[in-house]
Amino acid sequence: MLNSEIRLTEGLQQVRLNEGMHVLSDPDGMLTYAQAQEFRTEERFAPASGRSSFGLDGKTYWIQTTITNESTLDRWVLRLSNAIVDSVDLYADGQQLNTTENSDNGKKLDDHYWSYELVLPANHPVTLYLRVTTMGAMILPLDLMNASVYYDKLRAEFILFGLYYGFVMLMAAYIFMMYIFMKNVAYFYYLLYIIFFALSQLVWNGLPQELLGEQSELIRFLLRILGSYEDIFLFFFILCLWFVLFFLDRVLQIKVYAPKLRYAATAIKWASPFVVLALLFHLPGFSTIAIWYEFIVFMVLIASIFYSVFRGNIAARYIVLGVISIFGLAIPAVLYTFGLVQHSLLTHYGYQLGSITEFIIFAAALSYQTRQNERGKINAQRQMIVNQEKLVRTLEQWNEELEHTVSERTEKLVHSQRRRSELLQNISHDIRSPLTVVQGGIKAMMLGIQVRPGEQNKHLEDLYGKVLYITRFIDDLFQLSIDEQDDSNSHHQSKETLHMQQWVMKEFAFLEEFIRIAGLQCETEIQADSDPVMTVDPHGMRRVLTNLVHNACKYSLANKRIRLEAIIDSDGVQISVEDEGQGIAAEHLVNIFERANRGAQHDPLTGSGLGLAIAKEIVEQHGGTITAESLPGRGSTFVVHLPAANNSYVPADGGISS
């Protein structure tokens, strides 16, 4: 006979059966109660020696222990603190205990764990056999306690469960409101994580059976679909891990801060639904695979979080506190699943204790982030108000300048129109007489009227003088048009005195952005031996450079390089624009700067051909030159040179390249 007897002495209220019980693994689940008693199985029973977790190897275990009641209490409660085992069959003195009350031995209690009320006569040894089956981890913490202790524990558990799940509901409501107001999908993923985690813990604690009853339609539906309480727990727990992966991927930005782990995280994230499908189809050995899946997820998440912290992700610093709390308290529960540690409050409630700390830390972090966002919005609004005030002042200034300019231009226009009107009136009046003379002389010559000898030359000279007189008026009209054109040019050519090195750097930055937007690569180089101070029209010169860069972009393929180079010295500024486009043939390069010349391009959509001509005119107005070099198939280079003339200059620091 096995020495597994437990004695209940007077005053003893609770005892752990794991200290004195023996266990027998039945991998095939074929042993019967009679065989467990009689088929020399005593030789195969092994003492538990306090163990309550037996790993993932066996699917069926037999437990044998003998209890002798030496106290005056005859009613005791046997409790197995694991709600997700598939079945528990209890045999006492040859009789099986089930939901039907047995007058001699006791009955099964309606508990969220497996609990049996036993009648243990005084000083009469009672041998108990338990047959436990599960598709997951074989976790068998057994306690024997008197009825008052049992009901006290039950009451305390329900109070704590009420507080815990009430807190979880508050957290879920808080995160949901954060999602509604912030419109951030990361909050939605975190909400789903909280919901499925709470559901998994409900199943782990056996509360659905207690609250709904084992025969409820919902529980029967879940058992019909998933097969066992273990699989229901794994179903919800895997879903919560899946959504926490999405949440942390958003918050941690694993692709940016932990690129070495991005593939592992992505693989696990997209493998999760397949793991759930495998559970739904009851693949063999799934429970073991699911538990290893949980372990791998934990390791990848921990590595990603700490790697992100090391790489400087500020959000990860807040998350790491919550993760340390839940993983630190959950790791004992994971180890307990593999039978590496024994039963304790931490191993049984580790997930729940860790989740409380995690929720509090995450709530504080989210609250802090929300306050920071609000502060950012307030600062942005204040800055926007300041910018609006600046804009209003600027617009008022522009309006005043515009009114002044319009007034000046209107005055000039009125003066010009007056001059033109007066000039046209004078010309109309003065030109009538000479035209009449010329007309009469020509008609007389046509009619053959003879003039006195010696007066023919004088008559022709008089006619010629009248023609010159008319020509002078035509010249006046031409000069008027020139004056008006000069007035227009003087208006548009607003020249400024600039430090050329700073100006070139500013223009290159503008052109570099223009090139990148066009889908091309840009390379710039500035060689500055000095910093001439020159008087130029910045808008006109920008038009020159923009025309050159526009042509380079237009005739270059995607991802090709355009090089901008500037050489600045005491003699002036030389700017070149080099592309890797199709190039210009020699016969077209000769007339490239003529108006309406478009080289070999015959498509009207490619442009009017005025760009280079306008660029040349503007450069020459500055006293400079513009030249072009090109090789067909290899690209073109346009060079603009602006002389410093007699302008002063300031020494520079050397070359600048990018």
Side-chain angles (χ1 to χ4, degrees), residues 450-462:
Q450 298 293 326
V451 297
R452 287 179 293 179
E455 294 183 357
Q456 184 174 359
N457 289 337
K458 182 177 180 301
H459 184 67
L460 291 175
E461 289 177 358
D462 186 43

Side-chain angles (χ1 to χ4, degrees), residues 273-570:
F274 295 101
V275 176
V276 173
L277 290 175
L279 171 62
L280 294 174
F281 287 102
H282 307 289
L283 295 183
F286 170 77
S287 296
T288 303
I289 297 173
I291 292 172
W292 278 107
Y293 165 82
E294 297 170 14
F295 181 77
I296 293 172
V297 170
F298 288 155
M299 293 300 102
V300 172
L301 286 179
I302 291 174
S304 300
I305 291 169
F306 282 94
Y307 200 91
S308 297
V309 171
F310 177 76
R311 294 290 298 274
N313 188 339
I314 297 177
R317 299 176 185 177
Y318 297 103
I319 293 175
V320 72
L321 297 177
V323 171
I324 288 175
S325 62
I326 188 170
F327 283 0
L329 295 173
I331 285 176
V334 175
L335 296 177
Y336 182 54
T337 301
F338 288 93
L340 301 177
V341 297
Q342 296 309 307
H343 182 266
S344 66
L345 181 67
L346 187 60
T347 58
H348 193 77
Y349 297 105
Y351 283 112
Q352 291 157 287
L353 294 174
S355 66
I356 293 175
T357 309
E358 175 212 355
F359 293 157
I360 293 174
I361 293 175
F362 276 19
L366 292 174
S367 177
Y368 172 79
Q369 185 179 11
T370 302
R371 290 197 302 271
Q372 291 296 104
N373 291 337
E374 289 299 323
R375 290 174 185 173
K377 289 181 180 179
I378 293 174
N379 293 333
Q381 290 174 351
R382 291 175 179 173
Q383 186 62 40
M384 183 175 64
I385 293 173
V386 173
N387 292 337
Q388 286 177 344
E389 293 176 351
K390 291 182 179 179
L391 180 60
V392 169
R393 290 194 297 268
T394 302
L395 290 176
E396 290 176 349
Q397 181 180 356
W398 287 357
N399 186 49
E400 293 176 358
E401 294 177 354
L402 181 60
E403 290 179 353
H404 179 69
T405 302
V406 169
S407 177
E408 288 183 350
R409 297 298 296 170
T410 302
E411 184 178 352
K412 289 182 179 180
L413 182 60
V414 171
H415 179 68
S416 176
Q417 290 293 340
R418 187 180 300 114
R419 283 186 59 198
R420 176 180 295 181
S421 178
E422 292 174 354
L423 182 60
L424 289 176
Q425 289 176 2
N426 294 335
I427 291 174
S428 177
H429 178 270
D430 294 340
I431 206 172
R432 185 177 293 111
S433 296
L435 278 177
T436 301
V437 174
V438 172
Q439 182 179 4
I442 293 174
K443 187 174 182 181
M445 293 177 66
M446 291 175 61
L447 295 175
I449 299 176
Q450 298 293 326
V451 297
R452 287 179 293 179
E455 294 183 357
Q456 184 174 359
N457 289 337
K458 182 177 180 301
H459 184 67
L460 291 175
E461 289 177 358
D462 186 43
L463 291 178
Y464 179 70
K466 299 300 181 183
V467 172
L468 292 179
Y469 185 79
I470 295 171
T471 302
R472 182 173 64 84
F473 285 109
I474 295 174
D475 291 340
D476 289 341
L477 285 173
F478 180 69
Q479 185 62 43
L480 175 63
S481 65
I482 292 178
D483 292 341
E484 291 178 349
Q485 184 177 1
D486 289 342
D487 290 341
S488 176
N489 289 339
S490 64
H491 172 70
H492 291 291
Q493 292 181 359
S494 178
K495 294 188 177 181
E496 300 178 13
T497 301
L498 304 173
H499 287 266
M500 297 309 294
Q501 182 176 347
Q502 297 178 2
W503 179 79
V504 169
M505 292 174 64
K506 177 181 177 182
E507 294 302 314
F508 273 19
F510 167 78
L511 296 172
E512 183 176 3
E513 183 66 20
F514 181 90
I515 293 170
R516 297 192 188 283
I517 292 175
L520 301 170
Q521 301 179 18
C522 181
E523 178 181 339
T524 63
E525 181 178 356
I526 301 176
Q527 301 178 11
D529 297 329
S530 59
D531 190 6
V533 178
M534 299 172 56
T535 301
V536 297
D537 174 19
H539 300 290
M541 289 308 302
R542 170 174 283 192
R543 187 178 182 186
V544 171
L545 298 179
T546 303
N547 283 347
L548 296 179
V549 170
H550 176 73
N551 284 347
C553 294
K554 183 166 60 176
Y555 298 113
S556 296
L557 297 177
N559 295 321
K560 287 294 186 178
R561 177 183 64 90
I562 293 179
R563 176 179 172 81
L564 306 177
E565 181 181 2
I567 301 175
I568 306 173
D569 52 29
S570 59

Side-chain angles (χ1 to χ4, degrees), residues 125-386:
V126 176
T127 301
L128 300 178
Y129 283 86
L130 284 85
R131 182 179 183 272
V132 184
T133 61
T134 181
M135 296 301 293
M138 187 63 70
I139 299 175
L140 305 173
L142 285 165
D143 292 285
L144 187 65
M145 63 194 76
N146 63 45
S148 63
V149 172
Y150 167 72
Y151 287 110
D152 288 342
K153 289 177 67 71
L154 201 61
R155 187 181 305 108
E157 286 176 355
F158 275 110
I159 292 174
L160 293 176
F161 286 150
L163 293 174
Y164 173 75
Y165 289 107
F167 172 77
V168 171
M169 291 178 64
L170 288 176
M171 276 298 305
Y174 171 72
I175 298 300
F176 178 72
M177 296 305 297
M178 293 285 290
Y179 169 68
I180 294 297
F181 288 111
M182 303 297 293
K183 303 299 182 183
N184 189 338
V185 72
Y187 294 126
F188 181 71
Y189 290 141
Y190 190 60
L191 174 64
L192 293 177
Y193 157 67
I194 292 176
I195 292 173
F196 286 114
F197 181 83
L199 290 174
S200 70
Q201 295 308 299
L202 278 171
V203 177
W204 175 263
N205 294 317
L207 293 178
Q209 304 96 299
E210 176 69 15
L211 299 175
L212 303 177
E214 293 184 355
Q215 300 304 315
S216 71
E217 290 297 326
L218 178 60
I219 292 180
R220 292 172 64 184
F221 171 76
L222 291 174
L223 289 174
R224 185 165 58 252
I225 296 298
L226 297 169
S228 67
Y229 290 112
E230 170 84 9
D231 291 341
I232 296 174
F233 164 75
L234 289 175
F235 175 75
F236 290 126
F237 195 70
I238 290 171
L239 286 178
C240 91
L241 291 179
W242 187 26
F243 287 110
V244 82
L245 281 168
F246 279 100
F247 167 71
L248 292 179
D249 187 24
R250 286 272 181 172
V251 175
L252 295 178
Q253 301 181 53
I254 295 177
K255 294 180 180 179
V256 177
Y257 291 97
K260 294 182 179 179
L261 296 171
R262 59 177 295 193
Y263 298 108
T266 302
I268 295 175
K269 182 169 63 177
W270 295 112
S272 299
F274 295 101
V275 176
V276 173
L277 290 175
L279 171 62
L280 294 174
F281 287 102
H282 307 289
L283 295 183
F286 170 77
S287 296
T288 303
I289 297 173
I291 292 172
W292 278 107
Y293 165 82
E294 297 170 14
F295 181 77
I296 293 172
V297 170
F298 288 155
M299 293 300 102
V300 172
L301 286 179
I302 291 174
S304 300
I305 291 169
F306 282 94
Y307 200 91
S308 297
V309 171
F310 177 76
R311 294 290 298 274
N313 188 339
I314 297 177
R317 299 176 185 177
Y318 297 103
I319 293 175
V320 72
L321 297 177
V323 171
I324 288 175
S325 62
I326 188 170
F327 283 0
L329 295 173
I331 285 176
V334 175
L335 296 177
Y336 182 54
T337 301
F338 288 93
L340 301 177
V341 297
Q342 296 309 307
H343 182 266
S344 66
L345 181 67
L346 187 60
T347 58
H348 193 77
Y349 297 105
Y351 283 112
Q352 291 157 287
L353 294 174
S355 66
I356 293 175
T357 309
E358 175 212 355
F359 293 157
I360 293 174
I361 293 175
F362 276 19
L366 292 174
S367 177
Y368 172 79
Q369 185 179 11
T370 302
R371 290 197 302 271
Q372 291 296 104
N373 291 337
E374 289 299 323
R375 290 174 185 173
K377 289 181 180 179
I378 293 174
N379 293 333
Q381 290 174 351
R382 291 175 179 173
Q383 186 62 40
M384 183 175 64
I385 293 173
V386 173

